[in-house]
Amino acid sequence: MEDDSKKRMKEKFGLRRDIFKEFLAEFLGIFVLILFGCGSVAQAVLSKGALGEPLTIHIGFTLGVMMAVYMAGGVSGGHVNPAVSLAMVILGKLSIKKFPIYVAAQFLGAFAGSCAVFGLYYDALMDYTNGEFTVTGPNATANIFASYPAKHLSVINGFVDQVIGTGALVLCILAITDKRNIGAPKGMEPLCIGLAITAIAVSMGLNCGYPINPARDLGPRFFTAVAGWGMDVFRAGGCWWWIPVAGPMVGGAVGAGVYFLCVELHHPELEKQDENNIPDKYEMVTMS
């Protein structure tokens, strides 16, 4: 009886077109990423360090990315990052027609995730700020949701930071999901990608906190602009906001190109691979 009820519900409400399923998967995936990642920042900031520190923030984003890819990977590939989607388009693993749909889902999911974090910590935010949301200063809280540069960071260095960080992320993702390389065992790809995020966090977080994801940064920034922080979120840091948007997109393209030229281009042909009995153990997470 229960199975019949589920079947009828699926027939009535189940989506038929893949692109709609992929949209929802990307939306939900990055929603979870923001909920865990920005939630860990909120806990550290609003508790004044009593219940959080840089390490817990790294863990929050690592687990957020890992759970996001587990959630969306089998449906959309679990990109949850426009820079990753762009890399897949460049490498022919995602249709160009799907790219704007993926990006829209990622930005909307990040915005919704910010709403959830704001609602979760609303009382704590009001207590911490006395109702005055500021972007800079000792009681700044805009940095819970989006990245801001350290005082020492120039525009050029910030852009380079984002290109290198995102390029490293894309290189790792491509290596982890490359079934003609060593790859990762099926089902372990999200865990390995999470570990790559940890590596980036502990080695590239000083300058601006490793946003390396245009949707993860711009979606929450738009939320803060309309939720009480105002347009200063775009003016702060010398109009910093465009760096974690443009930099990661360039980094994604660079990472895709480097992996293709240094590794993927030199894989043996499939026929030759079979003749040499080279093992092909792992399957890549669906990317198209």
Side-chain angles (χ1 to χ4, degrees), residues 36-37 39-41 43-45 47 49-63 210:
F36 290 164
S40 67
V41 181
Q43 180 166 286
V45 171
S47 70
L51 296 175
E53 58 180 343
L55 180 59
T56 63
I57 293 171
H58 299 334
I59 293 172
F61 274 107
T62 293
L63 295 179
Y210 63 97

Side-chain angles (χ1 to χ4, degrees), residues 101-121:
I101 307 300
Y102 272 54
V103 172
Q106 291 155 2
F107 275 98
L108 291 173
F111 187 93
S114 302
C115 294
V117 172
F118 183 79
L120 178 67
Y121 282 113

